[in-house]
Amino acid sequence: MSEELRNRAAAFAAEILAPNAGQWERRREVPLAAFRRAAAIGLTEMALPARLGGSEIGFRDSLAVLAELAYFCLPFTFGLVVHNNLMRAIARFGSARQIERYLPRLRRYEQVGAFLLTEPGGGSDAANIATTVRHDGADWVIDGAKAWISNAANAHVLSVYAQTQHGAGARGIACFLVEADQPGVIREPPYEVMGGHALGTGGFQLQGVRVTDEAVLLAPGDGFKGAMAGIDNARATVAALCCALLRCGLDTALAYVSRRQAFGQTIADFQGVQWMLADVATELEAARLLADRAAELIETGAPATLAAAHAKKFATRVALKGLADCMQVMGAAGFRHDWPLARHLASAKMAQYLDGATEIQNVVIARALLRAHRR
């Protein structure tokens, strides 16, 4: 099943993403029609258990499927990842009513899912949530603001993380399923950013949004744990997607320098060019191994936090540098939008912020180093 799905993803990527991703970026377009076509070939089923009609492929196999897409467009792929992750959360934690209400339309991409954790003043400090929720009779009332939300431009189903008790920190955080057309939900315009517009990143204001107990996905005290439960998966996923970006950059550069003539020979015949690309290949191989190691630990249920931090930190770093080097060997041609490298370079920079900035990975790694040293 996983090989069949990977083949379908590769065909979809070649037919839809390859010719259109550059136009989407230039137009700052979120390609809803393309997302729905991805859903139609089963790319919204990877995170669902078989009992709910999901393909239930392994984590490493799912990364191989996603890499086929990210090779051409990381923002599109990450938008699909965020959508799938919300479906997984509803399947895992949701009530029977929530599963029945949301999953069928999310699966068909008739509705779009988003994860509302980050806040304008919070950044990577996910436990320090300023959005509040209080009881008012039989209802919950949510007030606050969320920022840097993937899929924000078109999201319908929002998993909103809010603090139920002042001063409680992570212990007081709960998660609610909120619909974007509810009174008090204000969608802000999508951000104008360096790249990655297919992801539709933006923010929301929540002003007196009223929900009932039926909207509770994760009760107070479980919200933060639920949000962090998938963080290792998310970081390993970003690492794998960055490897796909860099693989595209290397393939593009190799094809170009092998036919471009200069000084009576191809550019590929110059040792300086060869060595630059050899370094990119080595760093790509190392990033792949780190990403695969993290994915293997996750799939087997072993502790993976440190491995995922290493993988995410390294893959995003070498993708950014390696893509710049691939552009360099192509000369000024690499700077043109005729090629995907400039767009991928922006995506690689964006990836350094996704699911914990590089500095957060350093915190995780340093803590592990010191913990081992002090034993």
Side-chain angles (χ1 to χ4, degrees):
M1 177 62 185
S2 61
E3 190 62 29
E4 179 187 349
L5 188 59
R6 182 175 181 176
N7 290 338
R8 291 205 299 268
F12 168 84
E15 179 187 356
I16 304 299
L17 301 186
N20 294 305
Q23 297 178 44
W24 296 336
E25 184 57 46
R26 287 190 289 276
R27 296 171 184 167
R28 299 184 176 184
E29 177 182 349
V30 181
L32 281 176
F35 279 114
R36 288 178 182 136
R37 288 191 64 172
I41 64 168
L43 298 182
T44 54
E45 299 174 0
M46 292 186 291
L48 294 180
R51 64 181 173 83
L52 294 176
S55 55
E56 207 170 28
I57 64 175
F59 183 61
R60 295 168 81 187
D61 286 337
S62 73
L63 294 187
V65 171
L66 293 168
E68 298 290 349
L69 309 179
Y71 184 92
F72 296 108
C73 188
L74 185 146
F76 178 93
T77 310
F78 194 75
L80 195 63
V81 168
V82 170
H83 181 84
N84 281 352
N85 285 347
L86 177 60
M87 295 176 66
R88 179 193 288 114
I90 294 172
R92 181 179 177 187
F93 303 116
S95 66
R97 184 178 178 84
Q98 289 170 337
I99 288 171
E100 180 182 5
R101 179 173 182 173
Y102 294 114
L103 283 189
R105 285 180 289 178
L106 289 169
R107 184 176 176 178
R108 296 190 295 268
Y109 219 89
E110 292 172 2
Q111 291 190 328
V112 181
F115 179 84
L116 277 64
L117 179 65
T118 304
E119 297 185 344
S124 295
D125 187 4
N128 189 28
I129 285 178
T131 297
T132 61
V133 59
R134 58 183 172 82
H135 266 122
D136 183 22
D139 293 341
W140 295 87
V141 182
I142 307 172
D143 289 283
K146 297 295 182 177
W148 295 105
I149 307 304
S150 301
N151 293 340
N154 295 289
H156 303 87
V157 184
L158 317 176
S159 59
V160 179
Y161 290 79
Q163 179 59 256
T164 62
Q165 182 181 349
H166 178 71
R171 293 178 290 105
I173 296 172
C175 178
F176 301 82
L177 293 178
V178 177
E179 297 181 20
D181 60 359
Q182 288 181 224
V185 178
I186 301 170
R187 191 193 313 268
E188 297 176 345
Y191 299 155
E192 295 185 8
V193 288
M194 177 178 166
H197 289 92
L199 186 53
T201 306
F204 287 91
Q205 296 288 328
L206 305 161
Q207 298 180 0
V209 178
R210 303 183 77 90
V211 295
T212 68
D213 283 341
E214 290 183 355
V216 177
L217 181 64
L218 292 163
D222 294 331
F224 186 76
K225 289 185 289 185
M228 294 297 104
I231 198 67
D232 294 344
N233 301 45
R235 289 171 180 170
T237 298
V238 172
L241 301 189
C242 282
C243 290
L245 279 188
L246 189 52
R247 178 166 56 90
C248 178
L250 187 58
D251 289 347
T252 302
L254 284 167
Y256 183 86
V257 301
S258 295
R259 63 174 181 268
R260 175 74 163 86
Q261 295 283 326
F263 303 101
Q265 58 186 334
T266 67
I267 296 175
D269 292 323
F270 292 100
Q271 187 180 70
V273 169
Q274 294 173 1
W275 284 19
M276 284 181 72
L277 294 179
D279 282 344
V280 172
T282 299
E283 291 174 338
L284 173 57
E285 186 66 14
R288 279 174 171 165
L289 291 170
L290 283 172
D292 192 60
R293 174 58 175 159
E296 180 184 27
L297 292 172
I298 289 166
E299 191 164 86
T300 59
T305 298
L306 182 58
H310 279 306
K312 202 256 181 185
K313 170 188 171 180
F314 187 76
T316 57
R317 175 184 293 171
V318 300
L320 191 66
K321 179 182 180 299
L323 285 164
D325 287 344
C326 288
M327 292 174 68
Q328 188 68 23
V329 301
M330 292 173 65
F335 200 62
R336 295 182 61 175
H337 284 302
D338 305 63
W339 311 96
L341 300 193
R343 180 166 51 81
H344 282 357
L345 190 72
S347 294
K349 185 59 186 176
M350 178 181 74
Q352 292 192 328
Y353 306 121
L354 298 175
D355 293 304
T358 300
E359 291 73 21
I360 296 299
Q361 313 316 311
N362 279 338
V363 169
V364 172
I365 295 164
R367 284 176 178 171
L369 288 172
L370 293 171
R371 189 162 51 244
H373 179 73
R374 289 166 177 166
R375 284 176 183 165

